[in-house]
Amino acid sequence: MLTKNMEKALNGQIRLEAESSQVYLSMASWAEVKGLEGISLFMYGHSDEERMHMLKLIKYVNERGGHAHISDLKAPDKDFGSFQKMFQELYEHEIFVSKSINELVHVSLEEKDYATHNFLQWYVAEQIEEEALARNILDKINLIGNDKGGLYLFDRDVQQITAGNADSNTTE
Ligand code: FEO
């Protein structure tokens, strides 16, 4: 059985994962109308992943005798300026999510809820991957600079990260 504090904290994370999904969905749509097909597919895929993170939390909260709340969400930006700025934003957003997961782990220890502590380890590991992936992409973007051919290859590469598995791309 979850304590009220733990339930509240987990519900906060459910909302954050849902908002993350919306942010990446908005990025996907922006990239799509700019003709950045690969980047757009990457963002659509990333949005789906965030929804999966949210669902996993919902199932867990309900399974442990809590009630997962589905709340209203903050509307994401519609315009992201440039694809470089957009990926920088993605990176910063993931750092923010990692901090939030760390806070949750902290609450689980305060509440002596070792089952939730154990459950959260999946998210801790996932955040390491997500941050590494975002950093890897930013490194690639820095290499390209303003080279149009480089952008073409990047758009194609990032599409492969979506189609393949992100994990192998973060450890190259
Ligand atoms: Fe669910 Fe990208 O963190």
Side-chain angles (χ1 to χ4, degrees), residues 87-97:
F87 277 103
Q88 182 65 35
E89 208 173 298
L90 177 142
Y91 178 54
E92 283 162 20
H93 187 77
E94 287 305 331
I95 289 176
F96 178 68
V97 173

Side-chain angles (χ1 to χ4, degrees), residues 61-114:
V61 168
N62 291 343
E63 199 178 278
R64 294 285 318 282
H67 182 187
H69 292 168
I70 311 304
S71 49
D72 56 343
L73 304 173
K74 199 171 73 182
D77 290 340
K78 291 182 184 66
D79 200 309
F80 297 92
S82 67
F83 79 95
Q84 291 96 333
K85 280 190 193 144
M86 187 170 75
F87 277 103
Q88 182 65 35
E89 208 173 298
L90 177 142
Y91 178 54
E92 283 162 20
H93 187 77
E94 287 305 331
I95 289 176
F96 178 68
V97 173
S98 296
K99 280 189 184 145
S100 178
I101 294 290
N102 283 344
E103 268 308 306
L104 268 184
V105 172
H106 182 72
V107 174
S108 74
L109 289 175
E110 274 181 348
E111 300 293 315
K112 295 192 169 65
D113 184 344
Y114 299 111

Side-chain angles (χ1 to χ4, degrees), residues 9-166:
L10 288 166
N11 268 318
Q13 190 66 29
I14 287 170
R15 183 192 198 124
L16 180 55
E17 299 290 350
E19 282 179 349
S20 302
S21 181
Q22 294 290 90
V23 168
Y24 298 141
L25 194 57
S26 187
M27 288 180 174
S29 179
W30 179 86
E32 192 161 50
V33 298
K34 295 283 171 195
L36 300 164
E37 198 194 344
I39 293 173
S40 158
L41 285 172
F42 172 85
M43 289 299 179
Y44 278 122
H46 214 60
S47 173
D48 285 345
E49 267 189 44
E50 300 302 346
R51 182 175 159 79
M52 189 269 284
H53 296 170
M54 176 196 71
L55 285 173
K56 204 174 160 80
L57 279 156
I58 290 173
K59 294 284 176 196
Y60 179 75
V61 168
N62 291 343
E63 199 178 278
R64 294 285 318 282
H67 182 187
H69 292 168
I70 311 304
S71 49
D72 56 343
L73 304 173
K74 199 171 73 182
D77 290 340
K78 291 182 184 66
D79 200 309
F80 297 92
S82 67
F83 79 95
Q84 291 96 333
K85 280 190 193 144
M86 187 170 75
F87 277 103
Q88 182 65 35
E89 208 173 298
L90 177 142
Y91 178 54
E92 283 162 20
H93 187 77
E94 287 305 331
I95 289 176
F96 178 68
V97 173
S98 296
K99 280 189 184 145
S100 178
I101 294 290
N102 283 344
E103 268 308 306
L104 268 184
V105 172
H106 182 72
V107 174
S108 74
L109 289 175
E110 274 181 348
E111 300 293 315
K112 295 192 169 65
D113 184 344
Y114 299 111
T116 300
H117 185 269
N118 188 45
F119 168 78
L120 289 172
Q121 295 315 301
W122 184 88
Y123 286 85
V124 171
E126 180 71 11
Q127 282 314 118
I128 293 172
E129 292 296 332
E130 298 236 336
E131 282 187 33
L133 173 68
R135 264 200 311 275
N136 184 296
I137 289 172
L138 286 180
D139 286 346
K140 283 187 168 57
I141 289 174
N142 281 335
L143 282 175
I144 300 167
N146 289 323
D147 183 59
K148 285 264 188 276
L151 171 58
Y152 173 81
L153 292 176
F154 173 76
D155 195 48
R156 194 196 60 183
D157 268 13
V158 98
Q159 196 170 348
Q160 281 167 354
I161 294 178
T162 325
N165 52 72

